[in-house]
Amino acid sequence: MSNRPRRADPSKSDPELLTRTSWVNAELAYRQVKRGRADGNTCALWLRLYLQRYLYSIGCLLQLHCGKVTFLGLLLLSLCCVGLKTGHLETNVDELWVEEGGRLERELDYVRNTVGEGSGTSYELIIQTPKKGLSLLSVESLTLHYQAVLAATKVKVIIDGLEWGFREICYTADFPITESNLVDLILEGILPCVIVTPVDCFWEGSRLLGPDHPVATGGVADIPKYISWENLDPQSILRKLEEANNNNVPVDAMRDLFHRAGITSAYQEKPCLNPKDPDCPKTAPNFNGSVPDISGEFSKGCAGFAAKYMAWEQDLIFGGVKKNKTGHIVRVEAFQSILQLMADKDLFQYYEDDSKVASIEWTQDKARDVLEAFQRKFSQVVNNFGNESNKDNLYAFSYTSLMDIMRDFSSLSVTRVVLGYVLMFVYACVSLLRWNDAVNSQSGIGMAGVVLVSLSVAAGLGVCSVLGISFNASTTQIIPFFALGLGVDDMFLIAHTYYENAGHVPTPVSSSPVSEP
């Protein structure tokens, strides 16, 4: 018999082999499975075997040149951080949410190339909701909405010494030119801004259209000497012009135009929200002083002065609508009014040859400044319109306010980020500190790990900047803290593993990286 001692059973000499076979030594586990002494996935063990050999060789190389590797790594990360200088913060909604190369982007490009950048209209929204979940079908709620819209139409801003009001920059309805200079002057004076609002169901909607100063007519053909949309009855004026037999006025053409547009008596036959108003017309259904039927009027539908073109869809002006079986509106949970403004290109072209801007250098950028200033003032006025003292909430929305929100939310708070990283630095130092075993304390590893994570995050963002990848709200508000959490978590795992295996990690000098079975 041979006196050579028997080789010990690997499973007994290495207890962890039974619980963490492939993690501890994939080569040993692979051989045991191949010999039929254990069960396991040979393909996975074979792959992990070569990964362990490869990572072990890299670890040995790093250990031999730890100083050089640390220096080069910190130098490379620092150089990547320099790329942050070229970072660009993207807050444009189109760039953030429109799919690159998608159909919507192609359509937007087509519009820009066809009509030009900055053409069209912009929309300012006024939204009203109840504070306690009640319906808005009351005179009080609708009156509050009317007052808020009226206040919005009175907003004025001053840019370079010039005053700009809503009626100077709004998108107006268009009428064809007639052969009568008098009619053209009157139409130009009362040309209304386009406002989509539930107030158009009532006579008070006429006050939103203005004009601020009644237009003089000269008293021709018994027409009122001064007219505004509060007292304007287009059909009555046509009849009086026809009775006057004034050949200079194309009555037939205007009657045909009014018929095609659905222009009748404008607001003169609509009920008044406040029938006690001295200006409430006698032709109003509730001129006798009765309270208007809000629900009934809304169920009929709301329209502007040109009913065939300005019949507002319920989804545009109402929210949370509930109807009974007969289609009668019994509940409305939100009102919405839309004020339309000219876009910057149209505003620039409209006043390009006007004497109003003769004293300044009028450009499309200056027109954009006017619109942005007005939209910010509009949002401020509506949002502060008695929200605390009234039973309903009022909210304003405009494209500029959205851009301001995106810009404010996307801006990086250096104080918050630095404070978060400092707190994590202190936490890592304290949690890994071993008070009774200072030699094996891991607090230094924790602090170094937090510093390395911080440099890695900054370097990654710097590389993105150099590659032309724009930053957004996610980049500035989420990624720094998300990456900190993931990086510090891995740092704790590395520190824990190092503490467990620091005493028996094989090195090229001491032993082989794998054990023979």
Side-chain angles (χ1 to χ4, degrees):
M1 295 180 62
S2 175
N3 293 328
R4 188 173 67 177
R6 297 178 60 185
R7 181 172 295 174
D9 187 350
S11 63
K12 295 180 179 180
S13 60
D14 191 356
E16 288 191 335
L17 184 63
L18 297 175
T19 57
R20 298 194 299 171
T21 302
S22 59
W23 178 260
V24 175
N25 195 324
E27 182 176 1
L28 176 58
Y30 177 76
R31 291 179 180 178
Q32 294 295 322
V33 173
K34 293 292 288 185
R35 293 178 181 180
R37 297 180 181 177
D39 295 328
N41 189 333
T42 55
C43 294
L45 289 173
W46 179 84
L47 178 61
R48 184 163 292 185
L49 159 66
Y50 282 93
L51 286 176
Q52 284 188 351
R53 287 180 176 177
Y54 178 70
L55 293 176
Y56 176 78
S57 61
I58 292 179
C60 293
L61 180 64
L62 295 178
Q63 182 181 7
L64 292 175
H65 305 282
C66 57
K68 298 177 182 178
V69 171
T70 302
F71 175 76
L72 291 176
L74 293 176
L75 179 62
L76 180 61
L77 290 175
S78 301
L79 291 176
C80 292
C81 293
V82 178
L84 289 172
K85 288 186 175 181
T86 62
H88 169 66
L89 186 61
E90 184 61 72
T91 58
N92 188 292
V93 176
D94 293 342
E95 297 294 335
L96 289 173
W97 300 110
V98 176
E99 179 185 4
E100 185 176 357
R103 177 181 175 181
L104 181 56
E105 184 183 48
R106 294 195 299 270
E107 292 179 352
L108 291 174
D109 291 339
Y110 173 78
V111 173
R112 296 189 188 102
N113 296 331
T114 304
V115 299
E117 186 75 27
S119 299
T121 59
S122 61
Y123 304 94
E124 322 310 311
L125 307 183
I126 299 176
I127 301 173
Q128 179 178 345
T129 60
K131 290 183 178 180
K132 298 182 180 180
L134 303 176
S135 176
L136 294 177
L137 292 179
S138 67
V139 174
E140 181 182 359
S141 294
L142 189 57
T143 301
L144 174 63
H145 192 79
Y146 154 69
Q147 293 172 348
V149 179
L150 184 62
T153 62
K154 304 298 183 181
V155 171
K156 297 181 182 295
V157 294
I158 297 178
I159 302 295
D160 290 345
L162 298 179
E163 185 178 71
W164 299 86
F166 170 68
R167 306 196 186 283
E168 295 172 297
I169 63 177
C170 71
Y171 177 78
T172 59
D174 191 17
F175 285 97
I177 299 176
T178 68
E179 298 177 359
S180 172
N181 293 332
L182 174 62
V183 173
D184 290 339
L185 289 174
I186 294 175
L187 289 177
E188 183 180 356
I190 65 172
L191 209 60
C193 298
V194 177
I195 302 176
V196 182
T197 175
V199 185
D200 271 340
C201 277
F202 300 87
W203 170 77
E204 278 74 6
S206 63
R207 287 182 166 172
L208 302 178
L209 303 184
D212 294 335
H213 304 287
V215 178
T217 63
V220 179
D222 294 330
I223 298 176
K225 188 175 182 180
Y226 296 96
I227 62 173
S228 66
W229 284 100
E230 294 182 36
N231 64 355
L232 178 62
D233 186 345
Q235 291 294 340
S236 175
I237 290 179
L238 279 182
R239 288 193 298 269
K240 292 179 180 180
L241 288 174
E242 188 175 22
E243 293 172 358
N245 195 20
N246 190 337
N247 296 327
N248 294 328
V249 180
V251 176
D252 293 336
M254 293 181 63
R255 179 181 288 109
D256 180 65
L257 172 64
F258 287 2
H259 176 72
R260 287 187 285 111
I263 300 176
T264 55
S265 61
Y267 294 84
Q268 299 307 300
E269 297 181 0
K270 295 184 179 183
C272 299
L273 277 175
N274 180 17
K276 297 181 180 180
D277 191 323
D279 294 329
C280 180
K282 296 180 180 180
T283 52
N286 63 337
F287 178 73
N288 57 3
S290 60
V291 178
D293 182 9
I294 304 293
S295 176
E297 296 299 325
F298 284 167
S299 298
K300 296 176 186 177
C302 297
F305 64 91
K308 292 185 178 180
Y309 293 108
M310 297 181 174
W312 313 131
E313 294 290 338
Q314 289 186 357
D315 292 341
L316 281 177
I317 56 179
F318 301 136
V321 176
K322 184 179 180 181
K323 301 180 180 179
N324 58 17
K325 295 181 179 180
T326 62
H328 194 82
I329 295 177
V330 296
R331 186 181 182 88
V332 172
E333 297 180 358
F335 290 149
Q336 176 176 271
S337 291
I338 305 173
L339 285 67
Q340 298 188 41
L341 305 180
M342 288 186 284
D344 51 277
K345 181 180 179 181
D346 295 332
L347 182 61
F348 164 71
Q349 293 176 346
Y350 187 82
Y351 285 99
E352 187 174 9
D353 299 322
D354 195 282
S355 59
K356 179 181 178 66
V357 296
S359 61
I360 63 173
E361 183 181 356
W362 182 245
T363 62
Q364 187 170 339
D365 290 337
K366 186 67 66 175
R368 186 181 301 112
D369 293 339
V370 171
L371 290 172
E372 290 180 354
F374 179 87
Q375 290 171 345
R376 291 190 178 96
K377 184 70 174 295
F378 160 82
S379 299
Q380 180 183 359
V381 169
V382 175
N383 288 329
N384 295 332
F385 195 80
N387 280 343
E388 296 182 359
S389 59
N390 293 288
K391 69 173 185 177
D392 301 329
N393 292 317
L394 286 166
Y395 306 98
F397 177 84
S398 65
Y399 185 78
T400 299
S401 63
L402 175 61
M403 293 296 99
D404 291 341
I405 292 173
M406 293 293 297
R407 189 179 300 109
D408 294 340
F409 184 74
S410 301
S411 60
L412 179 64
S413 176
V414 178
T415 303
R416 188 183 301 120
V417 173
V418 171
L419 181 61
Y421 276 74
V422 169
L423 291 177
M424 184 58 69
F425 183 86
V426 174
Y427 171 76
C429 175
V430 175
S431 60
L432 293 176
L433 181 63
R434 301 183 184 275
W435 301 95
N436 56 352
D437 189 6
V439 176
N440 294 318
S441 177
Q442 306 295 313
S443 60
I445 297 178
M447 292 185 292
V450 174
V451 173
L452 183 61
V453 170
S454 305
L455 280 175
S456 301
V457 173
L461 295 178
V463 172
C464 292
S465 300
V466 173
L467 296 177
I469 301 176
S470 301
F471 295 164
N472 52 45
S474 299
T475 309
T476 58
Q477 303 296 327
I478 298 176
I479 288 182
F481 302 101
F482 185 69
L484 175 64
L486 292 178
V488 171
D489 177 69
D490 292 335
M491 180 270 298
F492 277 107
L493 291 176
I494 293 174
H496 177 72
T497 303
Y498 176 77
Y499 178 76
E500 286 187 340
N501 300 280
H504 54 275
V505 174
T507 61
V509 179
S510 61
S511 61
S512 173
V514 294
S515 302
E516 293 292 337

